[in-house]
Amino acid sequence: MRCYRYGDHAVVLAAQGPPSLACQQRLWTLAERVRTWPQVEDVVPGMNNLTLICRPLRMAFDELTHRLRAAWMDAEAEALSGREVDIPVDYGGEHGPDLEEVARLTGLTAGEVVSRHAGGDYVVFFLGFLPGFAYLGGLDPRLHVPRRATPRLSVPAGSVGIGGAQTGIYPLAAPGGWQLIGRTCEVLFDPTRTPPTLLAPGDRVRFRIASVRP
Amino acid sequence: MSRGAPVVEVLRAGLLSSVQDRGRFGWRHLGIVQSGALDALALELGNRLVGNAPTAAAIEITLGPARFRFTGATRVALTGGLFAAKLDDRPFSSGWSIPVPAGAVLSLPAASAGMRGYLCVSGGVAVPRVLGSRSTDLAAGFGGWQGRALRDGDALPLGAPAWAAGIHAPAFGVRLPENACGSCPQTAEAEPLTVRVMPGPEYGALPRATRRRWWTQTWRLSADSNRMGYRLTGAELDRGGQASLPSHAVVPGTIQVPPDGRPIILMNDAQTTGGYPRIGVVIAADLWRLAQLRLKAPVRFVPVTVAAAWAACWAERHYLRRIDAALRLAGLPGEPHDDSNG
């Protein structure tokens, strides 16, 4: 683990070694703890790291990193498990226009792609890219497929896709290059709701098959 | 004329106008971006000039021209870029605070210097707070006025002025902050703007020649720069084969080097996480100067320590405190206070 300064009002704690669920769990626990520190404005987990964004002129770097290191050591014991979130997905058809392409790329049938995707246990490692967009760990390696050669100009909100070793759900209509295999009617982001996002770091996600269309 | 609560009518929104306050904080871990005024110092100054709390929302105007009408008597200030504006037929320039009769029309020509103006109105733009802020998140489509850029014909609600007695006080002006956009380069031929940067976490991992080039080269602001990011044009930077990093949080001011070697400076609407090497971070006290740089104008970067970054931040606070003191001497509120909607 190392701590380093990032600009004039942020500090990063970066864990060493390859990313793992255990390490990420420690980071979520740490995030919850440091969020209440008076000089801290925002706490953002990334992959294997945690960034503290501080109020201007409130960050005494040495003192902050000292406390952060101590809190990191302390966070080892307990691990945040998160909520379990069930996401119904309509696979294939107009909701998943790339399902056949994913089947072709993986050498599986469309049905096998769906059952492997819905059979996985996923964990929200962190959020970014768009409000409510979760970086999920746990995609079956057999389902790793390259992104589309030509990104779509607009992917509908709720689209479930695969890009490389990642699977995820588009919370908003946005341009995107992932292979779309389905869509959920769950609302991933609603700024008027508390909390505003369906998923948070540490949540465990299961995709449930609502329907499968060719 | 409306008989309800006073509003500001957008007669001409121009290139890009939106409602912005200081920004949205505390939600980055859910992927929710900061947003907020790109020239935060101008917003703070403008709010003071009309007796608002520093957190009140204003209209951020990109370049202009733009035109607004006020349905009730109020007080307005224009800060940020330099505009030879007119209130009906009276000249009204940046850095001035002026009483406005009901029905008056404020016309802004295109900025003569700088890139963004802030129209601050007594009581602030009273759109609902969403996730603690009135700023517009243009990409996600929420906050501000209906989650979008302003259009001709919009009518924005105004809050009740905390400084009701001061609305009719005579017009006055203040000195703009040092190095304000009057001294910013306006054309491609001008002397470059100097922006102070703290070397970033991946700075040391880049090849020496790349680091030297970064500091010695005069860069230009590319035409495809926006509130999300400023793209720089110049000789491309060789990353030395450095691969992408594990995703990490990014903050406004971060200078990223993507694989094409063309640096991007993240601005307020940038996404919350990224994975490109961070060559540097523009210090907080210089972000507003950068926000006023015109497209295609030249800019260069100088390295500074955190001590220098904080000293610059203190200098800004000191400037605002002097403004506060001057306002108090003139019998105006002159310091941050609570207002019902701020």
Side-chain angles (χ1 to χ4, degrees):
Chain A
M1 182 269 296
R2 73 189 179 102
C3 285
Y4 60 83
R5 195 190 277 285
Y6 170 25
D8 54 0
H9 60 291
V11 56
V12 181
L13 181 143
Q16 303 299 301
S20 71
L21 181 56
C23 173
Q24 209 65 20
Q25 283 173 325
R26 249 177 105 178
L27 291 169
W28 302 322
T29 306
L30 183 63
E32 287 313 307
R33 197 161 301 168
V34 303
R35 190 174 298 286
T36 58
W37 293 0
Q39 69 269 53
V40 172
E41 195 162 64
D42 256 310
V43 187
V44 194
M47 185 63 95
N48 233 15
N49 55 56
L50 189 75
T51 301
L52 273 61
I53 299 162
C54 296
R55 295 176 216 284
L57 304 172
R58 294 287 297 275
M59 189 185 83
F61 181 74
D62 291 338
E63 186 211 321
L64 191 66
T65 52
H66 182 76
R67 281 187 72 187
L68 192 56
R69 283 171 188 277
W72 166 252
M73 294 309 167
D74 223 34
E76 189 158 28
E78 37 170 325
L80 197 75
S81 59
R83 299 170 309 138
E84 291 204 23
V85 184
D86 195 52
I87 294 175
V89 179
D90 293 305
Y91 285 97
E94 56 170 320
H95 296 313
D98 301 324
L99 179 60
E100 287 299 330
E101 175 68 4
V102 172
R104 195 185 64 77
L105 288 165
T106 56
L108 301 167
T109 66
E112 284 167 338
V113 169
V114 170
S115 60
R116 279 175 185 265
H117 188 262
D121 287 309
Y122 302 93
V123 179
V124 178
F125 272 49
F126 63 97
L127 272 68
F129 170 54
L130 287 170
F133 182 86
Y135 286 80
L136 297 173
L139 181 66
D140 186 331
R142 281 292 302 269
L143 297 180
H144 295 185
V145 290
R147 289 166 175 78
R148 285 168 54 86
T150 313
R152 288 186 170 86
L153 290 176
S154 182
V155 171
S159 292
V160 177
I162 296 175
Q166 287 279 326
T167 184
I169 314 156
Y170 285 85
L172 306 165
W178 286 20
Q179 310 275 5
L180 307 182
I181 59 170
R183 200 182 301 172
T184 180
C185 51
E186 291 284 324
V187 176
L188 275 291
F189 173 66
D190 176 355
T192 64
R193 204 168 57 181
T194 310
T197 59
L198 180 66
L199 301 175
D203 286 349
R204 280 169 294 153
V205 172
R206 289 196 72 104
F207 293 108
R208 184 166 52 77
I209 302 169
S211 72
V212 186
R213 281 181 238 179
Chain B
M1 204 66 35
S2 159
R3 290 218 191 130
V7 300
V8 51
E9 294 173 348
V10 180
L11 302 181
R12 183 174 182 185
L15 198 60
L16 174 69
S17 296
S18 64
V19 177
Q20 300 291 346
D21 63 10
R22 292 298 306 272
R24 191 166 276 115
F25 299 96
W27 300 100
R28 282 181 154 94
H29 64 294
L30 299 181
I32 296 165
V33 312
Q34 179 180 317
S35 309
L38 290 187
D39 185 342
L41 184 61
L43 176 74
E44 276 211 45
L45 174 63
N47 274 331
R48 279 170 157 81
L49 296 184
V50 295
N52 287 349
T55 49
I59 299 175
E60 181 181 88
I61 300 148
T62 310
L63 208 57
R67 213 159 69 241
F68 304 91
R69 178 162 54 210
F70 305 90
T71 63
T74 185
R75 185 173 193 93
V76 302
L78 197 54
T79 55
L82 300 183
F83 296 88
K86 280 192 164 168
L87 186 71
D88 291 331
D89 291 326
R90 293 157 63 200
F92 164 54
S93 304
S94 302
W96 282 78
S97 167
I98 187 169
V100 174
V105 172
L106 174 68
S107 312
L108 283 79
S112 59
M115 192 64 192
R116 292 160 223 280
Y118 294 84
L119 174 57
C120 298
V121 188
S122 280
V125 178
V127 294
R129 278 187 174 178
V130 183
L131 303 176
S133 165
R134 294 186 171 86
S135 288
T136 318
D137 184 328
L138 291 164
F142 72 93
W145 180 247
Q146 300 180 358
R148 59 166 170 79
L150 299 178
R151 293 181 196 143
D152 300 356
D154 286 340
L156 311 181
L158 295 173
W163 180 44
I167 281 182
H168 306 290
F172 63 89
V174 295
R175 235 170 83 174
L176 293 173
E178 235 173 278
N179 304 319
C181 58
S183 58
C184 236
Q186 304 304 313
T187 60
E189 296 74 37
E191 277 294 297
L193 175 73
T194 300
V195 168
R196 291 167 287 184
V197 166
M198 281 179 61
E202 283 73 53
Y203 174 77
L206 292 164
R208 256 173 83 155
T210 301
R211 288 182 264 157
R212 193 173 329 112
R213 171 165 286 173
W214 164 251
W215 302 117
T216 52
Q217 179 163 208
T218 293
W219 297 89
R220 280 173 204 288
L221 202 52
S222 149
D224 55 356
S225 298
N226 55 34
R227 283 186 46 96
M228 287 182 78
Y230 276 16
R231 286 162 194 278
L232 302 176
T233 55
E236 287 146 26
L237 297 181
D238 171 20
R239 299 201 306 182
Q242 192 174 66
S244 284
L245 304 155
S247 289
H248 48 72
V250 288
V251 297
T254 301
I255 303 150
Q256 294 183 326
V257 187
D260 69 5
R262 299 170 188 271
I264 300 171
I265 308 179
L266 301 180
M267 302 300 277
N268 291 35
D269 285 359
Q271 61 184 79
T272 54
T273 58
Y276 294 140
R278 297 159 288 188
I279 191 171
V281 187
V282 175
I283 67 171
D286 276 0
L287 269 178
W288 65 269
R289 291 188 178 90
L290 190 62
Q292 293 294 359
L293 188 65
R294 294 241 175 144
L295 300 181
K296 296 182 183 167
V299 57
R300 55 186 295 277
F301 301 94
V302 294
V304 291
T305 61
V306 68
W310 282 28
C313 226
W314 279 117
E316 258 181 28
R317 295 291 110 192
H318 181 64
Y319 164 76
L320 288 173
R321 275 204 290 271
R322 280 172 53 202
I323 298 284
D324 287 339
L327 292 177
R328 277 197 303 275
L329 276 176
L332 307 168
E335 61 188 352
H337 53 259
D338 288 326
D339 73 349
S340 54
N341 75 92

